[in-house]
Amino acid sequence: MKLWSLLGNSQRLDGGAMFGNAPKAVWQKWIAADADNAIPLACRCLLADGLAGKTVLFETGIGAFFEPKLRARFGVAEDRHVLLDSLAAAGFAHADIDVVVLSHLHFDHAGGLLAAWREGHPPELLFPNATFVVGAEHWQRALNPHSRDRASFIAGLPQLLVDSGRLEIVEGAHAKVLGDAVRFTISNGHTPGLMLAEIVSPEGGVVFCADLIPGRPWVHLPITMGYDRFPEMLIDEKRAFLADKLARKVRLFFTHDSECAMASVQCDDNGRYSTLDEMPALTAWSLAG
């Protein structure tokens, strides 16, 4: 099995929103903001070739489905579908993907499922040969969003997934299409039913941290996002998550960190978590080293 980190469309979002109640004097030491207080964010995906005999894509980033006005509003930098370019650079096309695993269906994680916006054309679902894997609890949230997060979902996307005939809604720790090769755990602090996918390996494995831990600064337990549903719950979930990954030597894969794709976790004598062995990108990387 080989792993690639694939960049999708990037964003610039308000730093205050991304760091919740942490003051700017603290978070600007980690990520510099521009004159509009916006910080750079990646929408990074993980490609695994040879996982359970399949080519598996973990998330799709924000993509280019927004019309120009909304693209500017949400700080999306590029107008082309960057993930498709990244797939091509790795030697793949979207039609080569057998499984797409989605931690949740917020637009910055699932928008890349759709073709780039074209005026006068309806949304078009990409990945024609893929099974789409979504957690059961979050699927219900996507169908019936709360007013607080309704704008985070893509209208019509759930129906496109259903109409594909290739949707698998997961209840429990494993998906039928991937078997024991991927283990799922659930987090509810950011959004109900956020599904954290761990590629299981004797060498320690890799876990897609999604929005539980968007990047290295958020490894620090008190740091949460303003977008999180229940910050205190998320901190408790993060504490248990990091302790488990440290004990089992599971690497963390970050979707929103603009400079780091993957790292190991460490904890000091004061119980403060941080990262080491940071990798900016993965290119045909093997868990076996």
Side-chain angles (χ1 to χ4, degrees):
M1 180 178 62
K2 302 294 184 182
L3 302 179
W4 286 258
S5 59
L6 301 180
L7 290 175
N9 293 65
S10 60
Q11 286 185 279
R12 296 193 73 88
L13 288 182
D14 183 82
M18 287 301 297
F19 285 102
N21 65 350
K24 186 175 182 180
V26 172
W27 62 255
Q28 69 180 353
K29 298 175 184 177
W30 301 321
I31 305 179
D34 63 18
D36 295 322
N37 208 48
I39 62 173
L41 296 169
C43 286
R44 183 183 291 104
C45 312
L46 175 62
L47 178 69
D49 189 40
L51 176 59
K54 298 176 173 64
T55 303
V56 181
L57 182 65
F58 294 84
E59 299 208 341
T60 62
I62 198 168
F65 76 97
F66 277 134
E67 61 179 90
K69 277 187 178 180
L70 290 177
R71 187 172 72 240
R73 179 184 300 173
F74 290 105
V76 182
E78 308 89 356
D79 59 1
R80 72 188 191 283
H81 200 314
V82 175
L83 175 59
L84 299 185
D85 296 342
S86 296
L87 278 166
F92 298 87
H94 71 100
D96 297 328
I97 304 301
D98 299 310
V99 183
V100 177
V101 177
L102 298 154
S103 69
H104 61 306
L105 292 174
H106 288 173
F107 62 72
D108 57 326
H109 296 257
L113 291 172
L114 300 173
W117 177 84
R118 291 186 296 161
E119 187 171 7
H121 290 263
E124 175 189 350
L125 190 65
L126 300 175
F127 306 98
N129 301 307
T131 297
F132 303 105
V133 175
V134 183
E137 184 178 0
H138 187 72
W139 177 253
Q140 291 304 312
R141 180 70 163 205
L143 296 179
N144 301 286
H146 190 274
S147 58
R148 185 176 185 272
D149 67 353
R150 183 172 289 112
S152 296
F153 293 97
I154 303 171
L157 178 59
Q159 192 60 52
L160 287 174
L161 293 175
V162 170
D163 291 345
S164 75
R166 292 175 277 112
L167 173 65
E168 181 181 345
I169 297 176
V170 176
E171 295 189 48
H174 302 284
K176 293 178 183 178
V177 71
L178 293 171
D180 294 339
V182 176
R183 180 190 301 119
F184 298 111
T185 56
I186 299 298
S187 165
N188 292 293
H190 176 68
T191 187
L194 179 76
M195 193 165 66
L196 301 161
E198 179 186 330
I199 297 174
V200 178
S201 170
E203 287 77 23
V206 175
V207 64
F208 196 102
C209 294
D211 279 345
L212 176 68
I213 307 176
R216 290 166 297 170
W218 294 268
V219 169
H220 185 35
L221 291 177
I223 302 301
T224 62
M225 295 187 289
Y227 303 110
D228 294 330
R229 177 189 184 215
F230 294 125
E232 290 185 5
M233 175 189 292
L234 186 139
I235 289 169
D236 292 341
E237 291 174 336
K238 187 162 54 169
R239 179 183 288 108
F241 177 88
L242 289 172
D244 173 68
K245 303 307 174 280
L246 176 60
R248 297 192 294 112
K249 300 182 179 179
V250 176
R251 298 167 181 85
L252 311 180
F253 188 91
F254 302 122
T255 184
H256 288 313
D257 193 314
S258 63
E259 297 180 349
C260 179
M262 190 172 72
S264 298
V265 62
Q266 62 183 348
C267 187
D268 66 18
D269 293 339
N270 296 317
R272 177 166 180 149
Y273 288 97
S274 59
T275 56
L276 73 163
D277 301 328
E278 297 171 355
M279 299 180 67
L282 307 179
T283 302
W285 185 82
S286 172
L287 274 169

